[in-house]
Amino acid sequence: MSQAPDQLNVPGPDMNDQPHLRMPDGREVKPWLVLFSIVFGFFMSLLDATISNIALDNIQTNLKTDLTTVSWVLNAYILTFAALLVTAGRLADQFGRKRVYMVGMILFSLGSLLCALAPSIELLITFRVAQAIGASVLEAVSLAIILAVFPRDKRTAAIGIWGALAGLAAAVGPVLGGFLLEIGKGNFEWRWIFFVNLPFCLAGLVMIARNVPEMRDPQATRRVDLAGVVALSIGIFCLALGFTQATDWGWGSAGVLGLFGTSIVALVGFYLIETHQAQPILDFGLFKFRSFTATCLVGVMFTIAFQGILIVLIQYFIIAQGKSPLDAALAIIWMPLAAFVSAAASGASGDKFSPRLLIIAGMFLMGVGLLSLYTLPVNATYLDTVWREAIAGLGAGFCFTGLPNIALSQVPRARLGAGSGAYNTFQELGFVLGIAIFISLLTGQFKTNFSEARTQAVAQVQADQTLPPTAKTAIISGLEKSNPQTGGSPSNGATGNQGNPLNGQIDGLFKKATLDSFTFVWFAAAMFALFGIVPALFTSEAKPASTETGDDEFEAGLEFAH
């Protein structure tokens, strides 16, 4: 005989407007244990967005492919991840957040195993898509579960930890990837970056099954809007792919313009489809909440500045400082570590600080930190960059806490899955945009600045009276063949005399050209952060007096799966 579903107590004034949750076996739901249980999958899904960066060269060598093809190991994951976040959130509202989250973790685990065993680059890219489908569920649904189980006075702390872990994953990914490559040398090598997911996901599945209650929108139908899913996925995928390929193909190329055009058509089609749906995948009514819309805009600008600049910092340490990829990954860790500390601290402070104030202060500090990077000297030391990174990181941590707190504060609890998916989609679009914009800017700056440095260097060589004509010809030939993408100086002591002042002059020209290229990008990132303050001013923390059909029922009781 089946057991009747457990009911939630109607929340009273002393319960912080939060239902009293119990598991089907009568055990009281412990929110912090729920958070700990879902962290396993959530953290690993974000980790895999960056952990493969440092392994691309190793994968390229072992699977005997080219750089363009191997880059799709990263692109396939990010594009699929971004395209499915909204859909994943809506499916969780329909079919149960716990159930969908566990399915997502199984897909992510299976995809990780298949990636680790992939015998070819084509299959590795295919399996990365499968892995990303699961990962999109883990990010979209994790925040919805947290908001549903935590009482209002504890949500800020929980969201602070959730956001801090997101920032930490961005930093740990390249570092952990580098260590795993070192450990696995000659024995699976890059495959360890996927094998490492399996024990954590297995532990997470056990924890979720035992500690997380089932929740869903009791008014939602089980019918899947396939037309809407396809239109939305195509629209977001083509938009993200257009920005990703713009650096290689050119912003005005037929391919990029075609992708943007397809994206517009698909997204307009999605809107038209959803306006005729009783229960749309993306409830456009969410954007009637001023704070939700404003916070999504801030989130895009924040993620562009934070996530994009991490990639540029790695390139700075490799190109301008001459560090190895692993050393570069360790060198940038101070920014996300500072973000983790400030996010955790601001979350632990509860309601002592307004989330709106945290966002404004966070975007300001990020802007100040990035502007300080703009002032780096040519011969900057390690410490010169550390304190600058830390300032930007502290600001990012405040945003990790404040942004999701305000974004979903006005979203009815029954639609937290869809709201979380929509909010995270804007975040992922910012991630893709940040990488595309800053890599494009950096590439363009290298070409411009190195062209000017090369012209000046050639003029200095021609004006040097101590060099024989044959030496001048050889040096100028070497300068003309130099690759601006690699940075540094192409002179390499070409005068044949390391004591010749000309060597130092040429080195100085190209070092300055390299630094100028990076400082321009940091200035652009600072502008994104500072201008993000404008939409932040339009956020508010007022809780809506929602009387939507189905919302009161959801507040009073949740359905449990048995």
Side-chain angles (χ1 to χ4, degrees):
M1 181 171 173
S2 65
Q3 182 183 3
D6 294 318
Q7 296 298 315
L8 302 178
N9 297 326
V10 178
D14 60 337
M15 297 178 66
N16 298 300
D17 192 33
Q18 174 67 20
H20 188 63
L21 298 174
R22 288 192 178 276
M23 298 294 291
D25 61 4
R27 288 180 297 116
E28 182 178 350
V29 171
K30 299 184 182 300
W32 289 109
L33 191 55
V34 171
L35 175 60
F36 181 69
S37 299
I38 66 174
V39 154
F40 286 93
F42 164 68
F43 186 82
M44 298 310 292
S45 70
L46 292 178
L47 192 75
D48 266 50
T50 58
I51 194 173
S52 60
N53 290 355
I54 204 164
L56 290 182
D57 287 342
N58 192 267
I59 294 172
Q60 180 182 349
T61 301
N62 278 266
L63 295 183
K64 297 178 174 58
T65 186
D66 56 73
L67 181 60
T68 301
T69 303
V70 79
S71 68
W72 277 94
V73 173
L74 176 62
N75 293 342
Y77 188 88
I78 293 175
L79 294 173
T80 305
F81 190 77
L84 296 178
L85 282 166
V86 174
T87 300
R90 179 56 186 159
L91 290 175
D93 287 342
Q94 289 179 288
F95 295 97
R97 293 170 191 161
K98 176 180 179 178
R99 180 182 294 113
V100 171
Y101 193 87
M102 292 184 73
V103 169
M105 187 170 284
I106 291 171
L107 281 174
F108 180 75
S109 302
L110 181 60
S112 298
L113 178 61
L114 292 174
C115 285
L117 300 175
S120 67
I121 187 63
E122 293 80 11
L123 285 176
L124 176 58
I125 292 171
T126 301
F127 297 148
R128 281 283 276 176
V129 171
Q131 191 189 31
I133 293 173
S136 67
V137 174
L138 298 179
E139 178 164 357
V141 183
S142 62
L143 184 57
I145 292 175
I146 290 171
L147 290 171
V149 301
F150 272 88
R152 186 168 295 276
D153 63 339
K154 301 293 184 184
R155 283 182 197 164
T156 301
I159 290 172
I161 292 175
W162 182 86
L165 288 172
L168 190 62
V172 171
V175 177
L176 179 60
F179 281 122
L180 290 173
L181 285 177
E182 289 295 320
I183 293 171
K185 265 185 179 175
N187 185 21
F188 290 113
E189 300 198 5
W190 60 269
R191 299 180 188 273
W192 284 109
I193 69 174
F194 300 113
F195 277 131
V196 74
N197 294 331
L198 301 179
F200 290 99
C201 288
L202 180 60
L205 278 169
V206 174
M207 297 278 289
I208 292 165
R210 176 163 177 78
N211 301 315
V212 178
E214 184 57 281
M215 295 161 284
R216 76 179 189 92
D217 180 354
Q219 298 299 312
T221 67
R222 300 297 181 97
R223 188 179 68 84
V224 177
D225 178 12
L226 289 177
V229 168
V230 172
L232 178 61
S233 300
I234 290 174
I236 295 178
F237 183 86
C238 289
L239 179 65
L241 181 59
F243 280 107
T244 300
Q245 295 300 114
T247 301
D248 293 332
W249 297 352
W251 288 93
S253 65
V256 169
L257 294 177
L259 285 170
F260 288 151
T262 302
S263 174
I264 292 172
V265 171
L267 292 175
V268 170
F270 170 72
Y271 176 79
L272 295 175
I273 291 169
E274 296 308 291
T275 54
H276 293 86
Q277 295 289 333
Q279 295 184 342
I281 295 172
L282 176 58
D283 184 356
F284 288 96
L286 292 172
F287 296 100
K288 293 179 181 177
F289 298 119
R290 188 183 70 181
S291 281
F292 181 80
T293 304
T295 309
C296 284
L297 292 175
V298 180
V300 171
M301 303 184 84
F302 161 69
T303 317
I304 287 174
F306 180 74
Q307 297 286 23
I309 210 63
L310 283 175
I311 304 297
V312 179
L313 272 172
I314 289 178
Q315 296 302 312
Y316 167 77
F317 281 109
I318 292 174
I319 295 175
Q321 298 283 0
K323 295 185 180 294
S324 69
L326 178 56
D327 287 340
L330 289 169
I332 68 150
I333 203 169
W334 300 105
M335 182 174 174
L337 278 181
F340 177 82
V341 171
S342 61
S346 57
S349 68
D351 295 328
K352 292 180 181 178
F353 299 100
S354 157
R356 180 171 177 265
L357 180 61
L358 287 176
I359 296 172
I360 294 171
M363 297 297 281
F364 177 75
L365 282 175
M366 275 194 68
V368 170
L370 290 167
L371 284 176
S372 69
L373 284 170
Y374 176 75
T375 65
L376 272 176
V378 173
N379 296 313
T381 65
Y382 180 70
L383 289 178
D384 286 333
T385 62
V386 166
W387 68 265
R388 291 171 165 88
E389 290 179 45
I391 292 175
L394 289 173
F398 291 144
C399 292
F400 279 133
T401 301
L403 283 169
N405 213 328
I406 287 188
L408 301 176
S409 65
Q410 296 184 348
V411 175
R413 191 174 287 128
R415 290 169 175 77
L416 283 175
S420 174
Y423 166 74
N424 281 306
T425 296
F426 278 91
Q427 295 273 61
E428 289 307 312
L429 285 176
F431 176 79
V432 174
L433 288 173
I435 293 175
I437 291 170
F438 294 139
I439 292 300
S440 178
L441 285 176
L442 187 61
T443 302
Q445 285 296 302
F446 272 145
K447 290 179 181 178
T448 300
N449 293 333
F450 270 67
S451 177
E452 294 177 359
R454 186 185 293 116
T455 300
Q456 295 176 29
V458 169
Q460 289 187 3
V461 170
Q462 290 175 336
D464 192 293
Q465 301 298 318
T466 63
L467 290 175
T470 54
K472 289 184 179 181
T473 301
I475 295 171
I476 292 172
S477 176
L479 291 170
E480 290 174 346
K481 292 178 182 178
S482 62
N483 180 12
Q485 302 299 325
T486 60
S489 169
S491 69
N492 296 322
T495 63
N497 179 4
Q498 296 300 319
N500 193 314
L502 185 60
N503 280 330
Q505 294 171 11
I506 293 176
D507 284 345
L509 286 173
F510 283 95
K511 282 182 178 180
K512 186 177 184 304
T514 301
L515 182 64
D516 288 347
S517 300
F518 284 104
T519 54
F520 179 87
V521 176
W522 284 322
F523 181 81
M527 292 302 101
F528 275 104
L530 293 175
F531 281 115
I533 295 174
V534 176
L537 296 173
F538 292 91
T539 61
S540 67
E541 302 155 58
K543 185 188 172 187
S546 175
T547 57
E548 295 185 53
T549 302
D551 198 48
D552 291 338
E553 289 90 337
F554 192 84
E555 295 286 350
L558 296 178
E559 296 180 355
F560 286 83
H562 293 273

PDB file of all heavy atoms in Angstrom, residues 498-524:
ATOM      1  N   GLN A 498      75.355  40.155 -27.345  1.00  0.00           N
ATOM      2  CA  GLN A 498      74.373  40.332 -26.273  1.00  0.00           C
ATOM      3  C   GLN A 498      74.582  41.646 -25.529  1.00  0.00           C
ATOM      4  O   GLN A 498      73.682  42.126 -24.863  1.00  0.00           O
ATOM      5  CB  GLN A 498      74.470  39.160 -25.286  1.00  0.00           C
ATOM      6  CG  GLN A 498      74.104  37.813 -25.905  1.00  0.00           C
ATOM      7  CD  GLN A 498      72.692  37.790 -26.432  1.00  0.00           C
ATOM      8  OE1 GLN A 498      71.784  38.312 -25.802  1.00  0.00           O
ATOM      9  NE2 GLN A 498      72.487  37.185 -27.602  1.00  0.00           N
ATOM     10  N   GLY A 499      75.782  42.244 -25.642  1.00  0.00           N
ATOM     11  CA  GLY A 499      76.023  43.513 -24.969  1.00  0.00           C
ATOM     12  C   GLY A 499      75.614  44.713 -25.796  1.00  0.00           C
ATOM     13  O   GLY A 499      75.709  45.845 -25.335  1.00  0.00           O
ATOM     14  N   ASN A 500      75.205  44.482 -27.023  1.00  0.00           N
ATOM     15  CA  ASN A 500      74.815  45.583 -27.896  1.00  0.00           C
ATOM     16  C   ASN A 500      73.551  46.250 -27.365  1.00  0.00           C
ATOM     17  O   ASN A 500      72.542  45.585 -27.134  1.00  0.00           O
ATOM     18  CB  ASN A 500      74.555  45.044 -29.311  1.00  0.00           C
ATOM     19  CG  ASN A 500      74.460  46.176 -30.328  1.00  0.00           C
ATOM     20  OD1 ASN A 500      73.794  47.168 -30.090  1.00  0.00           O
ATOM     21  ND2 ASN A 500      75.137  45.989 -31.468  1.00  0.00           N
ATOM     22  N   PRO A 501      73.580  47.578 -27.166  1.00  0.00           N
ATOM     23  CA  PRO A 501      72.391  48.277 -26.644  1.00  0.00           C
ATOM     24  C   PRO A 501      71.166  48.105 -27.526  1.00  0.00           C
ATOM     25  O   PRO A 501      70.030  48.224 -27.055  1.00  0.00           O
ATOM     26  CB  PRO A 501      72.839  49.747 -26.599  1.00  0.00           C
ATOM     27  CG  PRO A 501      74.336  49.693 -26.584  1.00  0.00           C
ATOM     28  CD  PRO A 501      74.721  48.482 -27.363  1.00  0.00           C
ATOM     29  N   LEU A 502      71.397  47.821 -28.820  1.00  0.00           N
ATOM     30  CA  LEU A 502      70.265  47.674 -29.732  1.00  0.00           C
ATOM     31  C   LEU A 502      69.349  46.531 -29.304  1.00  0.00           C
ATOM     32  O   LEU A 502      68.126  46.620 -29.449  1.00  0.00           O
ATOM     33  CB  LEU A 502      70.773  47.446 -31.154  1.00  0.00           C
ATOM     34  CG  LEU A 502      69.702  47.395 -32.257  1.00  0.00           C
ATOM     35  CD1 LEU A 502      68.916  48.706 -32.301  1.00  0.00           C
ATOM     36  CD2 LEU A 502      70.352  47.114 -33.614  1.00  0.00           C
ATOM     37  N   ASN A 503      69.951  45.444 -28.767  1.00  0.00           N
ATOM     38  CA  ASN A 503      69.133  44.322 -28.296  1.00  0.00           C
ATOM     39  C   ASN A 503      68.157  44.780 -27.216  1.00  0.00           C
ATOM     40  O   ASN A 503      66.976  44.443 -27.235  1.00  0.00           O
ATOM     41  CB  ASN A 503      70.021  43.207 -27.737  1.00  0.00           C
ATOM     42  CG  ASN A 503      70.626  42.353 -28.839  1.00  0.00           C
ATOM     43  OD1 ASN A 503      70.038  42.198 -29.893  1.00  0.00           O
ATOM     44  ND2 ASN A 503      71.811  41.831 -28.581  1.00  0.00           N
ATOM     45  N   GLY A 504      68.661  45.533 -26.258  1.00  0.00           N
ATOM     46  CA  GLY A 504      67.806  46.009 -25.177  1.00  0.00           C
ATOM     47  C   GLY A 504      66.726  46.951 -25.676  1.00  0.00           C
ATOM     48  O   GLY A 504      65.585  46.919 -25.198  1.00  0.00           O
ATOM     49  N   GLN A 505      67.070  47.785 -26.655  1.00  0.00           N
ATOM     50  CA  GLN A 505      66.082  48.718 -27.205  1.00  0.00           C
ATOM     51  C   GLN A 505      64.948  47.979 -27.917  1.00  0.00           C
ATOM     52  O   GLN A 505      63.765  48.310 -27.752  1.00  0.00           O
ATOM     53  CB  GLN A 505      66.773  49.687 -28.170  1.00  0.00           C
ATOM     54  CG  GLN A 505      67.765  50.620 -27.491  1.00  0.00           C
ATOM     55  CD  GLN A 505      68.597  51.405 -28.504  1.00  0.00           C
ATOM     56  OE1 GLN A 505      68.312  51.409 -29.700  1.00  0.00           O
ATOM     57  NE2 GLN A 505      69.651  52.056 -28.010  1.00  0.00           N
ATOM     58  N   ILE A 506      65.315  46.957 -28.707  1.00  0.00           N
ATOM     59  CA  ILE A 506      64.297  46.181 -29.426  1.00  0.00           C
ATOM     60  C   ILE A 506      63.436  45.403 -28.436  1.00  0.00           C
ATOM     61  O   ILE A 506      62.203  45.360 -28.554  1.00  0.00           O
ATOM     62  CB  ILE A 506      64.957  45.234 -30.451  1.00  0.00           C
ATOM     63  CG1 ILE A 506      65.624  46.045 -31.562  1.00  0.00           C
ATOM     64  CG2 ILE A 506      63.928  44.266 -31.027  1.00  0.00           C
ATOM     65  CD1 ILE A 506      66.378  45.200 -32.574  1.00  0.00           C
ATOM     66  N   ASP A 507      64.096  44.796 -27.446  1.00  0.00           N
ATOM     67  CA  ASP A 507      63.339  44.068 -26.417  1.00  0.00           C
ATOM     68  C   ASP A 507      62.345  44.989 -25.730  1.00  0.00           C
ATOM     69  O   ASP A 507      61.188  44.617 -25.482  1.00  0.00           O
ATOM     70  CB  ASP A 507      64.301  43.482 -25.374  1.00  0.00           C
ATOM     71  CG  ASP A 507      65.025  42.253 -25.896  1.00  0.00           C
ATOM     72  OD1 ASP A 507      64.591  41.701 -26.920  1.00  0.00           O
ATOM     73  OD2 ASP A 507      66.040  41.866 -25.272  1.00  0.00           O
ATOM     74  N   GLY A 508      62.798  46.209 -25.410  1.00  0.00           N
ATOM     75  CA  GLY A 508      61.926  47.154 -24.726  1.00  0.00           C
ATOM     76  C   GLY A 508      60.714  47.533 -25.567  1.00  0.00           C
ATOM     77  O   GLY A 508      59.590  47.651 -25.054  1.00  0.00           O
ATOM     78  N   LEU A 509      60.934  47.717 -26.876  1.00  0.00           N
ATOM     79  CA  LEU A 509      59.820  48.064 -27.764  1.00  0.00           C
ATOM     80  C   LEU A 509      58.748  46.981 -27.771  1.00  0.00           C
ATOM     81  O   LEU A 509      57.546  47.267 -27.693  1.00  0.00           O
ATOM     82  CB  LEU A 509      60.340  48.277 -29.193  1.00  0.00           C
ATOM     83  CG  LEU A 509      61.109  49.565 -29.474  1.00  0.00           C
ATOM     84  CD1 LEU A 509      61.702  49.536 -30.880  1.00  0.00           C
ATOM     85  CD2 LEU A 509      60.177  50.774 -29.328  1.00  0.00           C
ATOM     86  N   PHE A 510      59.172  45.728 -27.865  1.00  0.00           N
ATOM     87  CA  PHE A 510      58.193  44.638 -27.966  1.00  0.00           C
ATOM     88  C   PHE A 510      57.573  44.288 -26.609  1.00  0.00           C
ATOM     89  O   PHE A 510      56.422  43.855 -26.550  1.00  0.00           O
ATOM     90  CB  PHE A 510      58.837  43.416 -28.622  1.00  0.00           C
ATOM     91  CG  PHE A 510      58.975  43.572 -30.111  1.00  0.00           C
ATOM     92  CD1 PHE A 510      60.142  44.034 -30.670  1.00  0.00           C
ATOM     93  CD2 PHE A 510      57.896  43.288 -30.942  1.00  0.00           C
ATOM     94  CE1 PHE A 510      60.258  44.206 -32.043  1.00  0.00           C
ATOM     95  CE2 PHE A 510      57.994  43.446 -32.315  1.00  0.00           C
ATOM     96  CZ  PHE A 510      59.189  43.917 -32.875  1.00  0.00           C
ATOM     97  N   LYS A 511      58.329  44.471 -25.540  1.00  0.00           N
ATOM     98  CA  LYS A 511      57.731  44.275 -24.212  1.00  0.00           C
ATOM     99  C   LYS A 511      56.633  45.300 -23.971  1.00  0.00           C
ATOM    100  O   LYS A 511      55.564  44.975 -23.435  1.00  0.00           O
ATOM    101  CB  LYS A 511      58.806  44.392 -23.126  1.00  0.00           C
ATOM    102  CG  LYS A 511      59.678  43.157 -22.975  1.00  0.00           C
ATOM    103  CD  LYS A 511      60.676  43.337 -21.839  1.00  0.00           C
ATOM    104  CE  LYS A 511      61.520  42.082 -21.658  1.00  0.00           C
ATOM    105  NZ  LYS A 511      62.504  42.251 -20.551  1.00  0.00           N
ATOM    106  N   LYS A 512      56.905  46.543 -24.373  1.00  0.00           N
ATOM    107  CA  LYS A 512      55.888  47.582 -24.210  1.00  0.00           C
ATOM    108  C   LYS A 512      54.668  47.298 -25.088  1.00  0.00           C
ATOM    109  O   LYS A 512      53.519  47.487 -24.675  1.00  0.00           O
ATOM    110  CB  LYS A 512      56.471  48.951 -24.552  1.00  0.00           C
ATOM    111  CG  LYS A 512      55.503  50.105 -24.275  1.00  0.00           C
ATOM    112  CD  LYS A 512      56.151  51.440 -24.547  1.00  0.00           C
ATOM    113  CE  LYS A 512      55.221  52.593 -24.165  1.00  0.00           C
ATOM    114  NZ  LYS A 512      53.912  52.529 -24.835  1.00  0.00           N
ATOM    115  N   ALA A 513      54.915  46.814 -26.307  1.00  0.00           N
ATOM    116  CA  ALA A 513      53.805  46.482 -27.201  1.00  0.00           C
ATOM    117  C   ALA A 513      52.945  45.372 -26.600  1.00  0.00           C
ATOM    118  O   ALA A 513      51.712  45.405 -26.689  1.00  0.00           O
ATOM    119  CB  ALA A 513      54.339  46.057 -28.563  1.00  0.00           C
ATOM    120  N   THR A 514      53.604  44.393 -25.974  1.00  0.00           N
ATOM    121  CA  THR A 514      52.878  43.290 -25.340  1.00  0.00           C
ATOM    122  C   THR A 514      52.029  43.803 -24.187  1.00  0.00           C
ATOM    123  O   THR A 514      50.830  43.495 -24.090  1.00  0.00           O
ATOM    124  CB  THR A 514      53.869  42.229 -24.821  1.00  0.00           C
ATOM    125  OG1 THR A 514      54.639  41.733 -25.910  1.00  0.00           O
ATOM    126  CG2 THR A 514      53.132  41.079 -24.149  1.00  0.00           C
ATOM    127  N   LEU A 515      52.648  44.601 -23.311  1.00  0.00           N
ATOM    128  CA  LEU A 515      51.905  45.112 -22.153  1.00  0.00           C
ATOM    129  C   LEU A 515      50.766  46.031 -22.582  1.00  0.00           C
ATOM    130  O   LEU A 515      49.653  45.952 -22.049  1.00  0.00           O
ATOM    131  CB  LEU A 515      52.849  45.863 -21.213  1.00  0.00           C
ATOM    132  CG  LEU A 515      52.184  46.390 -19.940  1.00  0.00           C
ATOM    133  CD1 LEU A 515      51.683  45.241 -19.073  1.00  0.00           C
ATOM    134  CD2 LEU A 515      53.159  47.261 -19.143  1.00  0.00           C
ATOM    135  N   ASP A 516      51.022  46.889 -23.586  1.00  0.00           N
ATOM    136  CA  ASP A 516      49.969  47.788 -24.064  1.00  0.00           C
ATOM    137  C   ASP A 516      48.761  47.011 -24.576  1.00  0.00           C
ATOM    138  O   ASP A 516      47.613  47.450 -24.422  1.00  0.00           O
ATOM    139  CB  ASP A 516      50.497  48.704 -25.169  1.00  0.00           C
ATOM    140  CG  ASP A 516      51.440  49.776 -24.641  1.00  0.00           C
ATOM    141  OD1 ASP A 516      51.482  49.959 -23.399  1.00  0.00           O
ATOM    142  OD2 ASP A 516      52.142  50.404 -25.452  1.00  0.00           O
ATOM    143  N   SER A 517      49.016  45.864 -25.185  1.00  0.00           N
ATOM    144  CA  SER A 517      47.920  45.046 -25.697  1.00  0.00           C
ATOM    145  C   SER A 517      47.052  44.544 -24.556  1.00  0.00           C
ATOM    146  O   SER A 517      45.814  44.571 -24.636  1.00  0.00           O
ATOM    147  CB  SER A 517      48.470  43.856 -26.495  1.00  0.00           C
ATOM    148  OG  SER A 517      49.246  44.298 -27.590  1.00  0.00           O
ATOM    149  N   PHE A 518      47.674  44.089 -23.474  1.00  0.00           N
ATOM    150  CA  PHE A 518      46.925  43.587 -22.329  1.00  0.00           C
ATOM    151  C   PHE A 518      46.229  44.715 -21.567  1.00  0.00           C
ATOM    152  O   PHE A 518      45.081  44.558 -21.133  1.00  0.00           O
ATOM    153  CB  PHE A 518      47.844  42.801 -21.394  1.00  0.00           C
ATOM    154  CG  PHE A 518      48.178  41.434 -21.900  1.00  0.00           C
ATOM    155  CD1 PHE A 518      49.421  41.168 -22.455  1.00  0.00           C
ATOM    156  CD2 PHE A 518      47.249  40.403 -21.831  1.00  0.00           C
ATOM    157  CE1 PHE A 518      49.731  39.898 -22.933  1.00  0.00           C
ATOM    158  CE2 PHE A 518      47.544  39.141 -22.299  1.00  0.00           C
ATOM    159  CZ  PHE A 518      48.789  38.883 -22.852  1.00  0.00           C
ATOM    160  N   THR A 519      46.915  45.846 -21.387  1.00  0.00           N
ATOM    161  CA  THR A 519      46.307  46.926 -20.608  1.00  0.00           C
ATOM    162  C   THR A 519      45.064  47.480 -21.310  1.00  0.00           C
ATOM    163  O   THR A 519      44.101  47.881 -20.647  1.00  0.00           O
ATOM    164  CB  THR A 519      47.312  48.062 -20.343  1.00  0.00           C
ATOM    165  OG1 THR A 519      47.873  48.505 -21.586  1.00  0.00           O
ATOM    166  CG2 THR A 519      48.423  47.597 -19.428  1.00  0.00           C
ATOM    167  N   PHE A 520      45.057  47.485 -22.621  1.00  0.00           N
ATOM    168  CA  PHE A 520      43.874  47.929 -23.347  1.00  0.00           C
ATOM    169  C   PHE A 520      42.679  47.028 -23.028  1.00  0.00           C
ATOM    170  O   PHE A 520      41.562  47.501 -22.810  1.00  0.00           O
ATOM    171  CB  PHE A 520      44.150  47.924 -24.856  1.00  0.00           C
ATOM    172  CG  PHE A 520      42.968  48.356 -25.688  1.00  0.00           C
ATOM    173  CD1 PHE A 520      42.749  49.698 -25.955  1.00  0.00           C
ATOM    174  CD2 PHE A 520      42.078  47.422 -26.205  1.00  0.00           C
ATOM    175  CE1 PHE A 520      41.658  50.100 -26.720  1.00  0.00           C
ATOM    176  CE2 PHE A 520      40.982  47.813 -26.956  1.00  0.00           C
ATOM    177  CZ  PHE A 520      40.772  49.159 -27.222  1.00  0.00           C
ATOM    178  N   VAL A 521      42.928  45.717 -22.986  1.00  0.00           N
ATOM    179  CA  VAL A 521      41.856  44.760 -22.699  1.00  0.00           C
ATOM    180  C   VAL A 521      41.373  44.930 -21.265  1.00  0.00           C
ATOM    181  O   VAL A 521      40.168  44.865 -20.982  1.00  0.00           O
ATOM    182  CB  VAL A 521      42.340  43.320 -22.954  1.00  0.00           C
ATOM    183  CG1 VAL A 521      41.271  42.311 -22.573  1.00  0.00           C
ATOM    184  CG2 VAL A 521      42.708  43.134 -24.420  1.00  0.00           C
ATOM    185  N   TRP A 522      42.293  45.137 -20.319  1.00  0.00           N
ATOM    186  CA  TRP A 522      41.892  45.333 -18.924  1.00  0.00           C
ATOM    187  C   TRP A 522      41.066  46.601 -18.755  1.00  0.00           C
ATOM    188  O   TRP A 522      40.125  46.636 -17.956  1.00  0.00           O
ATOM    189  CB  TRP A 522      43.124  45.368 -18.027  1.00  0.00           C
ATOM    190  CG  TRP A 522      43.688  43.991 -17.816  1.00  0.00           C
ATOM    191  CD1 TRP A 522      42.985  42.826 -17.653  1.00  0.00           C
ATOM    192  CD2 TRP A 522      45.055  43.624 -17.784  1.00  0.00           C
ATOM    193  NE1 TRP A 522      43.836  41.765 -17.508  1.00  0.00           N
ATOM    194  CE2 TRP A 522      45.128  42.217 -17.585  1.00  0.00           C
ATOM    195  CE3 TRP A 522      46.245  44.325 -17.889  1.00  0.00           C
ATOM    196  CZ2 TRP A 522      46.317  41.522 -17.487  1.00  0.00           C
ATOM    197  CZ3 TRP A 522      47.448  43.638 -17.799  1.00  0.00           C
ATOM    198  CH2 TRP A 522      47.470  42.247 -17.599  1.00  0.00           C
ATOM    199  N   PHE A 523      41.396  47.630 -19.515  1.00  0.00           N
ATOM    200  CA  PHE A 523      40.603  48.852 -19.461  1.00  0.00           C
ATOM    201  C   PHE A 523      39.180  48.581 -19.964  1.00  0.00           C
ATOM    202  O   PHE A 523      38.194  49.044 -19.367  1.00  0.00           O
ATOM    203  CB  PHE A 523      41.259  49.954 -20.300  1.00  0.00           C
ATOM    204  CG  PHE A 523      40.512  51.252 -20.279  1.00  0.00           C
ATOM    205  CD1 PHE A 523      40.656  52.138 -19.227  1.00  0.00           C
ATOM    206  CD2 PHE A 523      39.647  51.585 -21.319  1.00  0.00           C
ATOM    207  CE1 PHE A 523      39.957  53.341 -19.199  1.00  0.00           C
ATOM    208  CE2 PHE A 523      38.944  52.781 -21.295  1.00  0.00           C
ATOM    209  CZ  PHE A 523      39.105  53.665 -20.240  1.00  0.00           C
ATOM    210  N   ALA A 524      39.061  47.825 -21.054  1.00  0.00           N
ATOM    211  CA  ALA A 524      37.747  47.482 -21.594  1.00  0.00           C
ATOM    212  C   ALA A 524      36.947  46.671 -20.580  1.00  0.00           C
ATOM    213  O   ALA A 524      35.740  46.899 -20.388  1.00  0.00           O
ATOM    214  CB  ALA A 524      37.905  46.708 -22.907  1.00  0.00           C
TER     215      ALA A 524
END
